[in-house]
C-alpha cells in the first residue's frame, strides 16, 4: 500500500482507529502473544488467509481481550466480557517464545507457578494455578473434552492455542480443581492451501521437526482440513533420552449452509530413557542444597512409554441468527508403562537412597457434550443463554505391583548416578482400579441492561465413583449429587473497561496418595470448593491491564508426620493478581505481572492448622520486553524474567524452598525467499544458569531446568 493510498484512506471516518486495532499485536497477560511475520519491504504485518496473524513489534492486550473464546458451560464470549481470569496463548506466540512445554508458555502469567520440570523427570511438565495443582483426571482438555494427564507432556507442535481458565473453571467444565483448567486446542482446519515446515535444536542434543499442511479438498471450500506432525528426538542435558512423535488431523465439512460436521484426532507416542519417576525428601532432611538440572537422577536402564490416542466428532448447527447448537463425542485412551527408580534424599548434602520402581496406567475416557446457545430479549433485558448436558465415563486400570520396592541403594547425587531399576524384571499386573461416571446438565443466563450484566447459572452433577483393590473387591463407592451455582455481576463504565464480582462453587474428585506415602494409591472422597473474585479488565489502544482479588476455600490434603496422605480440614487461598502491557513506542512493548498469595491450612490436624500450604510461593513477579530493531528489517529481540519467592516443601513448614530468579532472552528474524516466508529464531532459557527447586508438594522435589539454548528455522510455502 503506497503512502498516497494510506493518506486517502485516512480521510475515511474511523479509519485510523480501525487500522491501529487491526495492526496491534496480541498479548498474553503481561506478555506479547504474537511472533514476527514481516514484509521485508515495509516492516508491516502481512495477513494471509488461513494463516496465523503474526507481527514483529510490541504488543498491547486489547486485541486479546476482545478475542472470543470457548468457555464450556458459559458458551463463547470475549475475554473482556468474561467475569473471570483467562490466559490464552496462540501458536504464533508459542513459536516465538521457543516454548518446549506448558511451563515455558505460561512463564509470565500471574498466579501460575511451575511445579515440575518435564525435561528432568518422566513426570511431565505441570504448574500450579493460584496455589492449586490442576486435576490430573479432569483438569486438562483437548478441544474442551477431558483427557487423562497423568504425568505426560502434550507436544506443542500440534496446538493452535493454549487456554487457561482460572477460578470458575470447574463449573465451566464439570468436576475439576478449582484452581484452573488448561485446554489444548488442536490446529484447526483452514480453507486456503498452506504448507509449513520447521526444524529445530535444543541443547544438549535434541532435534525437532514439524510439518503443518492444510487447505480445502474442494474448490467450493466445503471440506477444510489440517494435518500437523511433530517429532522430537535426542539426548537431554541430564543424560536421558527422549523420542516424542505426535500427529493431529482435523477436518470440518459443510453439509448445508447451517449444518457442519467436524472430526478431530490426535496421536502421541513417547519413549523416555534414563529418567527418574520422582525425587522425595525424607523427614530428617530440612534443607537439601539446590542441584543442577543436569544431574542424572534416573537409572541409566530405566524407560517409560506413553501412548495416547484421542478423537472426537460432532455437529454444529446454526438454528437461526440468534441460536446455535452442537453435539460432540470424544474418546481418549492412554497407556503408560514405566519401569524406573525412585530416589529419596536423606540428608541436606545430597545423600540418598534409591529403589526400583514401576508404574503402569491405562485410562479410557468416553464423553458426550450437547449444548444450545443463543440470545433473546425480555423487555429491557438482553439474555445470553447456554443450556447443555455432559456425560463422562472414565475407566482407570492400575498396576497391582506399582510403587517402590526391593533393596535400597545408597549414594550421593553429587558423586554417583542411581542404578537400581525394574527395567530388567518389569512385570505389570493390571487391575480395575477406579471408574467414574458423571451426568451433568447445566444452564447459564447472562442478563444485560445498559452497562450492567448479571450472570446466573447452575450445574447439577450425578457423580458415581467406584474404587477397587487388586483382588477385585470394592473398597469404596462415592455417590454425590451436588448442585454448584455460579453468580456474577459486571459493570462497564466504558466499552473498554469491565469491573466484575463473581462467586462460584465447584466439585473435584478426591485426592490419591502418592508413591512415597505409606497409603500409596488410597483414594479419597470428592471435595467441594467456593471462590469469590473481584476484578477489573481494561483494554486501551496503547496499554491494557487486569486486576483480580480472590478467595478460594477447598478441602485440605497433605502428608502427615507418619507419612500418610490425608484429606482433612480446610485450605484457604486468598490473593491478588495484576498484569499489564504497554506499547511504549511503535517498536517497543513492555509487560509485567505481580502476584501475592496467602495460602494456609485453616482447619487441619494439630501442628498443621495455620501453616502455609506446601510449595506455594507467596510472591511472584515477571517482566518482559519486545523490541523491533528497525535498521535490520525483520529482526526483533525479546527478554524477560520470573521471580518466585521462598516457599515450604512440607505441610509442617520445616523444609524451606529458596527463592529464585530465572531470565530468558530471544530473537526472531523474518525474511522472504521469493514469495515464501523464512523465520529464524533463537532463544536461551535460564540465561544465568540458576539452580532452583520446583515442587508439586507432598515432599517431592524436581530440579529446575539449567541454561538451555534453542534454535529453529521455519519455512512457509
Amino acid at each position: 500500500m503506497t503512502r498516497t493510498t494510506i493518506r486517502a484512506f485516512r480521510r475515511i471516518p474511523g479509519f485510523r482507529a480501525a487500522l491501529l486495532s487491526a495492526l496491534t499485536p496480541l498479548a498474553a497477560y503481561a506478555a506479547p502473544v504474537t511472533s514476527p511475520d514481516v514484509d521485508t519491504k515495509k516492516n508491516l504485518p502481512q495477513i494471509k488467509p488461513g494463516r496465523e496473524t503474526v507481527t514483529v513489534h510490541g504488543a498491547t492486550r486489547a486485541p486479546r481481550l476482545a478475542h472470543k473464546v470457548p468457555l464450556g458451560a458459559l458458551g463463547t464470549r470475549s475475554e473482556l466480557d468474561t467475569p473471570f481470569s483467562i490466559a490464552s496463548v496462540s501458536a504464533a506466540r508459542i513459536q516465538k517464545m521457543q516454548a518446549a512445554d506448558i511451563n515455558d508458555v505460561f512463564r509470565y502469567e500471574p498466579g501460575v507457578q511451575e511445579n515440575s520440570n518435564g525435561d528432568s523427570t518422566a513426570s511431565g511438565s505441570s504448574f500450579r494455578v493460584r496455589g492449586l495443582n490442576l486435576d490430573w483426571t479432569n483438569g486438562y482438555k483437548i478441544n474442551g473434552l477431558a483427557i487423562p494427564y497423568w504425568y505426560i507432556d502434550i507436544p506443542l507442535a500440534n496446538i493452535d492455542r493454549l487456554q487457561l481458565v482460572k477460578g470458575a473453571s470447574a463449573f465451566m467444565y464439570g468436576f475439576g480443581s478449582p484452581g484452573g483448567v488448561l485446554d489444548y486446542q488442536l490446529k484447526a482446519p483452514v480453507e486456503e492451501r498452506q504448507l509449513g515446515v520447521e526444524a529445530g535444536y535444543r541443547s544438549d542434543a535434541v532435534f525437532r521437526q514439524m510439518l503443518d499442511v492444510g487447505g480445502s479438498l474442494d474448490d467450493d471450500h466445503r471440506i477444510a482440513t489440517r494435518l500437523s506432525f511433530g517429532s522430537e528426538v535426542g539426548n537431554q542435558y541430564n543424560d536421558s533420552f527422549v523420542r516424542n512423535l505426535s500427529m493431529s488431523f482435523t477436518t470440518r465439512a459443510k453439509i448445508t449452509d447451517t449444518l457442519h460436521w467436524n472430526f478431530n484426532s490426535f496421536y502421541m507416542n513417547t519413549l523416555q530413557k534414563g529418567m527418574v519417576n520422582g525425587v522425595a525428601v525424607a523427614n530428617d532432611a530440612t534443607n537439601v542444597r539446590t542441584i543442577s538440572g543436569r544431574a542424572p537422577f534416573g537409572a541409566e536402564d530405566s524407560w517409560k512409554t506413553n501412548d495416547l490416542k484421542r478423537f472426537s466428532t460432532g455437529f454444529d448447527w446454526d438454528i437461526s441468527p440468534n441460536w446455535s447448537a452442537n453435539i460432540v463425542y470424544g474418546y481418549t485412551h492412554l497407556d503408560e508403562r514405566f519401569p524406573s527408580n525412585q530416589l529419596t534424599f536423606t540428608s541436606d548434602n545430597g545423600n540418598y537412597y534409591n529403589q526400583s520402581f514401576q508404574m503402569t496406567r491405562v485410562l479410557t475416557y468416553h464423553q458426550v457434550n450437547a449444548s444450545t446457545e443463543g440470545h433473546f430479549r425480555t423487555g429491557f433485558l438482553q439474555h445470553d443463554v447456554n443450556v447443555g448436558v455432559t456425560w463422562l465415563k472414565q475407566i482407570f486400570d492400575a498396576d497391582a505391583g506399582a510403587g517402590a520396592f526391593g533393596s535400597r541403594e545408597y549414594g550421593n547425587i553429587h558423586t554417583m548416578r542411581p542404578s537400581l531399576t525394574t527395567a530388567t524384571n518389569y512385570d505389570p499386573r493390571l487391575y480395575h482400579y477406579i471408574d467414574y461416571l458423571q451426568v451433568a446438565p447445566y444452564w447459564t443466563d447472562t442478563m444485560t441492561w445498559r452497562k450492567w450484566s448479571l450472570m446466573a447459572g447452575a450445574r447439577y452433577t450425578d457423580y458415581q465413583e467406584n474404587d477397587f483393590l487388586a483382588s477385585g473387591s470394592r473398597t469404596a463407592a462415592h455417590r454425590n449429587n451436588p448442585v454448584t451455582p455460579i453468580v456474577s455481576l459486571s459493570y462497564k463504565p466504558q466499552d473498554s473497561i469491565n469491573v466484575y464480582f463473581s462467586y462460584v462453587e465447584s466439585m473435584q474428585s478426591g485426592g490419591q496418595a502418592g508413591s512415597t506415602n505409606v497409603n500409596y494409591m488410597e483414594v479419597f472422597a470428592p471435595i467441594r470448593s467456593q471462590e469469590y473474585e473481584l476484578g477489573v479488565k481494561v483494554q486501551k489502544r496503547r496499554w491494557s491491564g487486569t486486576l483480580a482479588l480472590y478467595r478460594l476455600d477447598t478441602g485440605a490434603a497433605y502428608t502427615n508426620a507418619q507419612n500418610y496422605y490425608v484429606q482433612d480440614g480446610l485450605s484457604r487461598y486468598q490473593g491478588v493478581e495484576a498484569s499489564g502491557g504497554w506499547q511504549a513506542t511503535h517498536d517497543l512493548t513492555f509487560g509485567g505481572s505481580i502476584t501475592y498469595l496467602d495460602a494456609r491450612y485453616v482447619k487441619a490436624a494439630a501442628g498443621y492448622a495455620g501453616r502455609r500450604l506446601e510449595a506455594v510461593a507467596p510472591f511472584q513477579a515477571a517482566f518482559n520486553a519486545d523490541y523491533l530493531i528497525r535498521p535490520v528489517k525483520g529482526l526483533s529481540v525479546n527478554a524477560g524474567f520470573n521471580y518466585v519467592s521462598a516457599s515450604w516443601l512440607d505441610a509442617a513448614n520445616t523444609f524451606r524452598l529458596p527463592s529464585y530468579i530465572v531470565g530468558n532472552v530471544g530473537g526472531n528474524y523474518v525474511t522472504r525467499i521469493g514469495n515464501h516466508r523464512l523465520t529464524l529464531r533463537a532463544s536461551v532459557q535460564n540465561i544465568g544458569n540458576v539452580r532452583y527447586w520446583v515442587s508439586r508438594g507432598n515432599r517431592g522435589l524436581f530440579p529446575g531446568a539449567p541454561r538451555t539454548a534453542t534454535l529453529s528455522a521455519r519455512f512457509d510455502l
Side-chain angles (χ1 to χ4, degrees):
M1 183 180 291
T2 65
R3 294 183 179 179
T4 303
T5 305
I6 292 176
R7 282 196 295 269
F9 273 99
R10 283 177 177 169
R11 300 188 184 100
I12 300 175
F15 170 77
R16 179 179 176 83
L19 180 64
L20 287 172
S21 176
L23 299 184
T24 304
L26 304 174
Y29 278 70
V33 299
T34 56
S35 61
D37 182 11
V38 177
D39 184 340
T40 55
K41 295 181 179 180
K42 292 189 177 296
N43 269 337
L44 290 176
Q46 298 297 294
I47 302 175
K48 299 178 175 61
R51 301 269 179 108
E52 294 159 349
T53 303
V54 286
T55 68
V56 68
H57 47 79
T60 69
R61 299 184 58 228
R64 192 187 74 82
L65 291 177
H67 178 70
K68 289 193 174 183
V69 295
L71 294 169
L74 300 184
T76 301
R77 59 182 65 208
S78 73
E79 296 184 43
L80 178 68
D81 293 333
T82 303
F84 307 101
S85 299
I86 300 172
S88 186
V89 185
S90 70
R93 172 60 183 167
I94 292 171
Q95 293 169 10
K96 182 175 182 178
M97 296 176 72
Q98 293 285 278
D101 54 38
I102 57 176
N103 291 332
D104 290 339
V105 172
F106 292 101
R107 65 170 67 124
Y108 301 125
E109 175 64 25
V112 174
Q113 179 185 343
E114 176 186 3
N115 65 13
S116 70
N117 176 6
D119 291 333
S120 178
T121 72
S123 297
S125 301
S126 62
F127 48 65
R128 292 175 179 269
V129 178
R130 294 181 171 176
L132 293 103
N133 290 316
L134 272 62
D135 187 332
W136 305 110
T137 306
N138 297 292
Y140 295 84
K141 316 285 182 180
I142 290 182
N143 285 14
L145 300 182
I147 62 169
Y149 193 86
W150 281 89
Y151 307 108
I152 63 175
D153 272 318
I154 302 295
L156 301 179
N158 310 92
I159 305 305
D160 225 7
R161 180 172 296 274
L162 282 169
Q163 183 170 296
L164 177 65
V165 180
K166 304 177 187 178
S169 54
F171 172 85
M172 296 177 190
Y173 296 101
F175 264 52
S177 167
V181 161
L182 179 61
D183 188 17
Y184 291 82
Q185 297 174 12
L186 296 175
K187 289 188 172 177
V190 292
E191 294 183 355
E192 298 297 325
R193 299 287 176 85
Q194 69 173 55
L195 173 63
V197 292
E198 183 173 337
Y201 167 84
R202 185 176 76 245
S203 58
D204 287 350
V206 177
F207 295 89
R208 298 181 295 123
Q209 301 83 37
M210 189 272 290
L211 171 68
D212 183 13
V213 59
S216 296
L217 299 182
D218 63 317
D219 294 337
D220 294 330
H221 301 299
R222 300 187 69 86
I223 304 176
T225 63
R226 187 81 170 269
L227 172 69
S228 64
F229 172 81
S231 169
E232 185 177 53
V233 181
N235 297 313
Q236 301 195 113
Y237 45 70
N238 62 339
D239 290 339
S240 64
F241 171 84
V242 64
R243 187 208 65 207
N244 199 345
L245 305 177
S246 62
M247 182 175 68
S248 65
F249 174 75
T250 61
T251 185
R252 181 176 174 86
K254 183 186 294 184
I255 299 174
T256 69
D257 289 340
T258 59
L259 181 63
H260 298 80
W261 170 76
N262 58 73
F263 175 81
N264 300 316
S265 62
F266 174 76
Y267 175 72
M268 176 187 78
N269 184 275
T270 300
L271 170 64
Q272 298 169 319
K273 295 182 178 180
M275 291 191 186
V276 73
N277 167 65
V279 181
V281 178
N283 290 338
D284 295 337
T286 58
N287 187 23
V288 179
R289 179 159 50 101
T290 53
I291 294 169
S292 171
R294 296 184 176 277
F297 286 89
E300 190 172 2
D301 295 331
S302 67
W303 56 269
K304 179 183 181 183
T305 59
N306 287 314
D307 190 271
L308 178 68
K309 305 178 183 71
R310 190 267 184 193
F311 74 83
S312 66
T313 184
F315 294 91
D316 299 318
W317 181 26
D318 295 324
I319 303 171
S320 70
N322 295 335
W323 288 91
S324 63
N326 70 80
I327 185 170
V328 60
Y329 164 76
Y331 169 85
T332 307
H333 182 81
L334 171 65
D335 188 322
E336 176 192 8
R337 299 177 183 269
F338 191 14
S340 181
N341 65 294
Q342 184 167 285
L343 186 145
T344 301
F345 284 118
T346 58
S347 69
D348 296 342
N349 65 355
N351 289 334
Y352 66 80
Y353 68 80
N354 177 59
Q355 288 182 284
S356 298
F357 175 89
Q358 77 176 44
M359 179 187 298
T360 306
R361 296 187 182 97
V362 178
L363 296 103
T364 304
Y365 286 13
H366 299 272
Q367 183 171 353
V368 177
N369 281 0
S371 66
T372 300
E373 183 178 356
H375 55 269
F376 60 91
R377 297 192 68 88
T378 57
F380 57 84
L381 289 179
Q382 168 74 29
H383 296 262
D384 294 287
V385 177
N386 188 274
V387 180
V389 62
T390 296
W391 177 87
L392 174 60
K393 184 175 181 61
Q394 300 163 303
I395 302 170
F396 188 167
D397 294 337
D399 183 2
F405 51 84
S407 60
R408 293 182 176 183
E409 170 190 41
Y410 294 87
N412 185 284
I413 195 63
H414 300 290
T415 59
M416 65 180 292
R417 179 176 187 171
S419 62
L420 286 181
T421 177
T422 57
T424 56
N425 57 352
Y426 174 55
D427 182 26
R429 303 188 304 279
L430 287 173
Y431 72 99
H432 187 67
Y433 176 38
I434 312 175
D435 60 61
Y436 309 88
L437 179 63
Q438 301 177 43
V439 181
Y442 60 84
W443 68 269
T444 59
D445 184 4
T446 302
M447 295 161 279
T448 304
W449 176 68
R450 296 185 179 178
K451 298 180 179 181
W452 293 90
S453 292
L454 174 65
M455 177 192 294
R459 177 186 288 269
Y460 168 81
T461 304
D462 181 5
Y463 178 87
Q464 302 177 34
E465 176 189 327
N466 298 297
D467 308 331
F468 298 87
L469 293 175
S471 63
S473 61
R474 188 168 64 182
T475 60
H478 302 294
R479 301 291 187 269
N480 295 81
N481 303 97
V483 175
T484 50
I486 186 171
V487 179
S488 73
L489 181 65
S490 300
Y491 175 68
K492 297 182 71 173
Q494 302 176 16
D495 289 342
S496 59
I497 301 174
N498 186 18
V499 182
Y500 64 88
F501 172 79
S502 61
Y503 170 77
V504 62
E505 293 184 10
S506 59
M507 294 290 295
Q508 67 184 103
S509 300
Q512 298 176 25
S515 59
T516 60
N517 296 122
V518 174
N519 57 334
Y520 178 41
M521 297 187 77
E522 182 179 352
V523 183
F524 294 85
I527 304 171
R528 179 184 288 267
S529 62
Q530 301 87 31
E531 182 176 70
Y532 307 84
E533 182 172 332
L534 176 65
V536 59
K537 300 180 182 182
V538 182
Q539 61 167 29
K540 296 295 184 179
R541 193 179 68 184
R542 300 186 64 88
W543 67 272
S544 58
T546 64
L547 175 68
L549 293 84
Y550 59 89
R551 178 173 133 175
L552 187 152
D553 289 340
T554 189
Y558 54 91
T559 296
N560 64 20
Q562 291 73 42
N563 199 30
Y564 280 86
Y565 183 80
V566 297
Q567 192 167 286
D568 170 45
L570 178 70
S571 299
R572 175 165 293 164
Y573 304 78
Q574 47 191 6
V576 57
E577 300 170 356
S579 67
W582 175 42
Q583 189 170 342
T585 70
H586 185 71
D587 306 322
L588 178 63
T589 296
F590 297 107
S593 68
I594 189 170
T595 302
Y596 174 74
L597 174 58
D598 182 21
R600 298 178 182 272
Y601 294 107
V602 177
K603 297 178 183 178
Y608 297 96
R611 304 286 187 181
R612 288 189 179 273
L613 283 147
E614 62 265 35
V616 179
F619 182 76
Q620 292 177 250
F623 176 82
N624 64 86
D626 196 305
Y627 181 62
L628 170 66
I629 303 176
R630 282 191 170 272
V632 182
K633 294 180 179 179
L635 178 63
S636 68
V637 294
N638 58 81
F641 73 85
N642 301 82
Y643 169 76
V644 178
S645 68
S647 60
W648 297 102
L649 180 68
D650 60 327
N653 292 179
T654 61
F655 188 122
R656 194 166 182 83
L657 296 171
S659 62
Y660 60 89
I661 299 178
V662 174
N664 310 279
V665 297
N668 294 260
Y669 177 68
V670 182
T671 187
R672 294 192 178 276
I673 300 177
N675 293 324
H676 308 298
R677 183 179 64 205
L678 174 65
T679 306
L680 304 176
R681 297 185 174 97
S683 65
V684 179
Q685 290 81 35
N686 192 1
I687 191 170
N689 202 26
V690 175
R691 297 184 176 189
Y692 61 100
W693 292 120
V694 294
S695 172
R696 290 194 179 112
N698 205 22
R699 298 192 70 89
L701 280 177
F702 301 90
R707 180 192 298 121
T708 55
T710 305
L711 305 171
S712 73
R714 179 184 174 103
F715 188 67
D716 290 290
L717 298 177

